[in-house]
Amino acid sequence: MHAIALLLVTVFLGLGWWQYTRATAGNALSWGYMFQWPLFAIFTFAFWLREVRTAAKGMEKAESQPPLTSGFEPATVHADRHDAVDSTGDAATDEYNQYLKWLSENPHRRPY
């Protein structure tokens, strides 16, 4: 990533210089491109700098956190929570609540 960023910044600045030489030689359209290419170089440098800082923050964060455990650890579901669901009398809501209850009682099965 560092090499690509350096290459792009160098190429964009070179193209900006090339457009400057064309503009001073009398090509009016090259004046716009002369400013455009350095802006691309600045954008590339800013993007590269942001990615480097993000990677550095990620490394600091990873060093400060305990290592992750491997394996699947299912969440604990308390049976008394299912009985506390209020029934609104709406058939669609009751059906959905029954579906959620079935899902929590059968965590390793597929509903369909």
Side-chain angles (χ1 to χ4, degrees), residues 42-98:
I42 292 169
F43 173 77
T44 302
F45 177 76
F47 181 75
W48 170 80
L49 188 61
R50 185 186 73 168
E51 291 299 314
V52 168
R53 287 182 177 174
T54 302
K57 285 181 186 177
M59 292 174 69
E60 290 173 5
K61 190 180 220 182
E63 290 173 357
S64 66
Q65 292 180 349
L68 296 175
T69 59
S70 61
F72 176 74
E73 297 176 15
T76 305
V77 178
H78 300 286
D80 57 343
R81 291 188 184 174
H82 298 298
D83 300 332
V85 176
D86 291 334
S87 178
T88 60
D90 182 22
T93 303
D94 292 340
E95 183 181 341
Y96 183 67
N97 285 335
Q98 288 298 322

Side-chain angles (χ1 to χ4, degrees), residues 22-42:
R22 286 177 46 104
T24 55
N27 187 351
L29 185 60
S30 292
W31 285 109
Y33 291 123
M34 180 194 76
F35 293 108
Q36 179 184 2
W37 288 114
L39 286 176
F40 287 155
I42 292 169

